[in-house]
Amino acid sequence: MRDNVKRDNRRALPKYLLTLLLFGLLGGVLGFFTGVAGAAGVAETVRQALDRVLAVCAPWGIVGSAVVLLGAGWYLYAAAKRRFAAWDGEDEDAMDAAEQQLSWALLLTGLVIILDFFFFAASIIYDRFLQDLILFLAAVVVLVVLQQKIVDLERRINPEKRGSVYDMKFQKTWMDSCDEAERAQIGQACYRAYMVGTKVCIFLWVVLLILNFVFDFGLLPIAAVLVIWGVMQTAYALECIRLSKRKGEV
């Protein structure tokens, strides 16, 4: 009987080593040029330019992201609501389209959360905390209301769904109301997110390591990325162990 494990390893190893070699060479070249840039004083020029840009953009970032992204989210929600109101109870394609619109609206609310937290942090750093706090809280209120409207409409489309966005255990309640097919879909999406997140963490580690030669920001940004990566890896492994034990008990 042929050893398929050794055969697969022999096939994959050359490509793996070549990839490591190419990325090593690329990293060396980038490291050299970033070192030159650091010696030429590029870091201070870029830092000052970023400070000026963020100081100007921070007050408008929360408002801009809310108007554009939440405006689009409300538009998609309203379109899905109209589809549901006109539904004859038989056209499943219409409801599939409505649920797609609700999913896109939820994605936009997630992006708004990230952008608002970023611009609010920038406001604190650039001494605009009190001025932008009201804008931040207003954007959060509008965002939560939109999420509540989306979830409520999704529950009306699928009456078996349970949960309120104001419930601290909403995610668990919603997950418990999903059927096996929906749970499998959520599992596939989570695994995809985990894989993308792992690749992004590796990419950020490399980028931050190289940029440190220019900006000399130390280990804190690199450590932050590694903490996120470590939490993802640990949570994934522990959950796999837990699920395998439960499967064995069944």
Side-chain angles (χ1 to χ4, degrees):
M1 181 177 178
R2 299 180 62 183
D3 192 340
N4 292 331
V5 175
K6 290 184 177 180
R7 183 197 63 189
D8 292 341
N9 286 335
R10 285 195 299 268
R11 287 182 177 179
L13 183 59
K15 184 178 179 180
Y16 176 75
L17 294 177
L18 179 61
T19 301
L20 289 180
L21 177 61
L22 292 176
F23 277 103
L25 292 173
L26 179 61
V29 172
L30 292 177
F32 171 77
F33 283 107
T34 52
V36 172
V42 175
E44 188 60 29
T45 302
V46 173
R47 187 179 291 113
Q48 292 177 0
L50 286 176
D51 282 341
R52 288 194 295 269
V53 171
L54 289 176
V56 173
C57 293
W60 303 100
I62 297 174
V63 176
S65 62
V67 170
V68 175
L69 297 180
L70 287 183
W74 279 102
Y75 173 80
L76 290 170
Y77 162 74
K81 186 177 181 180
R82 288 194 298 269
R83 284 181 183 270
F84 178 67
W87 187 40
D88 58 5
E90 297 181 358
D91 187 2
E92 294 300 326
D93 291 337
M95 286 302 93
D96 288 342
E99 290 187 279
Q100 284 288 325
Q101 290 174 321
L102 293 178
S103 296
W104 280 106
L106 274 179
L107 172 60
L108 293 177
T109 62
L111 295 177
V112 171
I113 291 174
I114 296 171
L115 290 174
D116 282 357
F117 271 85
F118 172 79
F119 286 115
F120 185 56
S123 298
I124 295 174
I125 292 173
Y126 295 106
D127 298 325
R128 290 189 52 88
F129 172 73
L130 293 178
Q131 298 96 316
D132 291 345
L133 177 60
I134 298 176
L135 295 175
F136 175 76
L137 293 177
V140 170
V141 170
V142 175
L143 184 150
V144 171
V145 171
L146 175 57
Q147 289 182 332
Q148 174 241 312
K149 295 290 186 181
I150 293 171
V151 170
D152 289 351
L153 181 55
E154 182 68 33
R155 290 187 61 189
R156 292 187 177 95
I157 296 174
N158 300 284
E160 73 278 4
K161 293 290 189 295
R162 301 192 308 274
S164 168
V165 295
Y166 305 116
D167 183 2
M168 300 303 294
K169 296 183 178 180
F170 166 70
Q171 287 85 357
K172 183 180 185 302
T173 304
W174 186 270
M175 187 70 174
D176 291 340
S177 66
C178 294
D179 57 29
E180 291 299 322
E182 290 171 329
R183 293 186 184 187
Q185 185 180 31
I186 293 172
Q188 292 176 359
C190 290
Y191 180 72
R192 173 65 177 170
Y194 164 76
M195 294 300 297
V196 171
T198 297
K199 293 177 181 178
V200 169
C201 285
I202 296 173
F203 175 77
L204 288 177
W205 178 82
V206 173
V207 170
L208 291 173
L209 186 62
I210 294 174
L211 289 179
N212 183 60
F213 291 106
V214 179
F215 297 98
D216 192 25
F217 41 61
L219 282 174
L220 184 59
I222 298 174
V225 171
L226 292 179
V227 167
I228 296 172
W229 190 9
V231 169
M232 289 173 51
Q233 296 284 335
T234 303
Y236 177 78
L238 290 177
E239 186 64 12
C240 288
I241 294 171
R242 186 185 70 84
L243 292 175
S244 64
K245 287 183 177 179
R246 190 172 67 181
K247 183 178 179 181
E249 292 174 357
V250 174

